Every structure is written in C-alpha cells, then in structure tokens.
Amino acid sequence: MMDRNFDDLAERFAQNIYGTLKGRIRQIILWEELDQILATFPNASLSILDAGGGIGQISSGLAQRGHHITFCDVSEQMLIRAKQHAQEQGVASQMKFIQTSAQQVGTQLEKPVDIVLFHAVLEWVAEPEKTLAALFDTLSPGGVLSLMFYNLHGLTLQNLTLGNFGYLKAHMKKRKKKTLSPDYPRAPAEVDQWLTNVGFDIESKAGIRVFSDFIRDLPPSANGEEGIIEMERRYSRQEPFMSLGRYIHVTARKPAIKDEL
C-alpha cells in the first residue's frame, strides 16, 4: 500500500472539492470547528502546521488572521496552487511551503507547533496510526490536532440508499485508481482508538455533510442552499447524524506537561 500523491488530479481536486455546495458546507463546518480551537489559546498569533493542505484555502484564511503557517504536501502541483492562492490573498510572507509528507515534516520544523491541520488526508495514507504519531510529535504540549477524515459509515449508508449492493459485498473496493474517491475510508471508532493509542485526548467531534448528499428534489420551503447549510449546522454535532457524516472532524489535544509536586 502507498500514500496518494495528487499531482495527476490537482485540477479535478480544485474544481470538485471547493467549487460546489459540498465544498462550501465543508468549509463552513470546518471554520466553526477551527474558531472553537483558536479560542482555547491565549496567544493572538499561533504556529500552525497544515499537513497535506490541498490548495491552501484554510491556511491562507488562518494567515489572514495573523497566524504563521507551515504548509506541506507531497504533491508539487498542490504546492504550486497553494502558493498561488497565498499570493492572491496577500499572505505568502506568513507561510512556509515544504514539499514533504506528513510523516516526515517534523524533521523540517524548527520547533513544535500549536496546531496541526490534517484535513481529508488520513483516508489516503497507508499507515494511519504511524502518521498520527508523527503529527503528535510535531505538537507542543497542549497543542491541538484538527483532524477531518472520510467516514466509512457515511460511504456505506450512501451505497445502501443507492442500492449498490454488489459494491458493498465487494467491500467497496475502488475500480479505478485515478479517482477522488478515497483509498481507505475510516471507521470512526478505529480512528478514535488510533488517536488514544498515540496519546491524544479527544475533545469534540462534528459530522460534515450529514444529510445533504442524499437530497434529490428539494421543496421550495427548504429555502434552497441556505436552508441546507442551516440544517447541516444544526445536526452536525448531534448523534446519530454526526457519526453518519460524509466526513467527521475530531478535535484532539496533546496533553499539557503538568508541574511536578
């Protein structure tokens, strides 16, 4: 098994992930989660690592708020796009770009960081627990991992509703290699166990796109896209809907060092 490099799919990634209602819902819920994380830090300016950060929309937004960003990705094409986006937003001077993997980026950091972003990457790596352990080591004590992963339960539910029973019986194995469908959808309980094994304390969770992928004909009374976004926000942090989201966001903290008695 190998980790995924998006050099060959960078253009499709940019269009399909960010240029849709699905992408806007993802961004909205993520920013709400990040705002909660940022509020737990006393310092106005933080050191943030974005590991596998796509085209850098979240990173640039955080840089605009005065934070210092280290951005890494194995894909040269993604780095080019992220740099271009940062330049367009006027924040390139606050960002450092490194072409490396999440597993190796720690060797290139001058000091531990306050926050690590690891969004929609865990489902592409072959050794997830080792990757989370490497990211744990990049954090300062009391630092936070913002983890978003592609949810196996959400994918299973969608295929059940579509009647794709043959695909389910085949354990949802991908037929094509060059696709944006993740290689390794993750079960939430398994991710929780990995985080605990590594040493993280899980603080909170949210589902992303808990129902909107299943909508076919939306009635006028639903108030269109704004109505969908409102309902996604309402149910994203409620069970059982949260655990059925297409993605799940987890806030996990590295324990702070306690003073010895």
Side-chain angles (χ1 to χ4, degrees), residues 17 30 49 62 91 119 138 153 205 214 223 229 240 252 258:
I17 300 299
L30 264 179
L49 167 64
L62 289 166
V91 295
H119 297 161
T138 69
H153 298 339
K205 298 181 185 180
F214 304 106
N223 193 28
I229 291 170
K258 297 181 180 179

Side-chain angles (χ1 to χ4, degrees), residues 111-132:
K111 60 180 181 179
V113 299
D114 300 305
I115 297 174
V116 171
L117 312 181
F118 200 49
H119 297 161
V121 185
L122 193 68
E123 58 268 26
W124 298 100
V125 299
E127 296 182 305
E129 187 169 344
K130 288 184 179 180
T131 303
L132 292 173

Side-chain angles (χ1 to χ4, degrees), residues 131-144:
T131 303
L132 292 173
L135 293 175
F136 182 90
D137 290 341
T138 69
L139 281 165
S140 299
V144 172

Side-chain angles (χ1 to χ4, degrees), residues 182-252:
D183 292 337
Y184 315 113
R186 303 302 185 186
E190 193 169 33
V191 174
D192 288 354
Q193 188 61 60
W194 292 333
L195 290 168
T196 301
N197 291 348
V198 166
F200 281 107
D201 293 328
I202 297 173
E203 293 189 343
S204 65
K205 298 181 185 180
I208 298 175
R209 288 166 34 210
V210 299
F211 75 90
S212 53
D213 286 10
F214 304 106
I215 292 176
R216 295 297 177 263
D217 299 312
L218 192 67
S221 60
N223 193 28
E225 291 188 0
E226 291 305 315
I228 292 174
I229 291 170
E230 178 188 356
M231 289 297 108
E232 283 283 354
R233 278 174 155 157
R234 177 177 296 188
Y235 290 101
S236 64
R237 297 168 181 87
Q238 297 183 36
E239 291 288 17
F241 316 104
M242 181 181 72
S243 293
L244 295 174
R246 179 51 56 94
Y247 289 86
I248 291 178
H249 180 269
V250 181
T251 298

Side-chain angles (χ1 to χ4, degrees), residues 91-109:
V91 295
S93 63
Q94 291 174 242
M95 298 179 65
K96 180 181 179 180
F97 297 89
I98 306 172
Q99 185 175 3
T100 189
S101 68
Q103 297 91 327
Q104 297 297 322
V105 69
T107 63
Q108 300 191 47
L109 296 177

Side-chain angles (χ1 to χ4, degrees), residues 19 32 58 80 85 105 123 158 167 181 185 188 191 195 222 246 260:
E32 291 178 352
I58 294 290
I80 291 172
H85 185 73
V105 69
E123 58 268 26
Q158 184 186 47
Y167 181 52
S181 178
V191 174
L195 290 168
R246 179 51 56 94
E260 295 184 2

Side-chain angles (χ1 to χ4, degrees), residues 29-79:
I29 302 299
L30 264 179
W31 272 113
E32 291 178 352
E33 292 291 291
L34 288 172
D35 283 339
Q36 292 181 24
I37 291 171
L38 294 170
T40 67
F41 287 88
N43 297 331
S45 181
L46 301 173
S47 173
I48 299 174
L49 167 64
D50 192 350
I55 64 173
Q57 284 191 330
I58 294 290
S59 287
S60 292
L62 289 166
Q64 286 176 329
R65 297 186 181 196
H67 303 296
H68 298 279
I69 313 298
T70 300
F71 181 103
C72 79
D73 204 296
V74 294
S75 167
E76 181 182 8
Q77 289 301 313
M78 286 298 184
L79 280 173

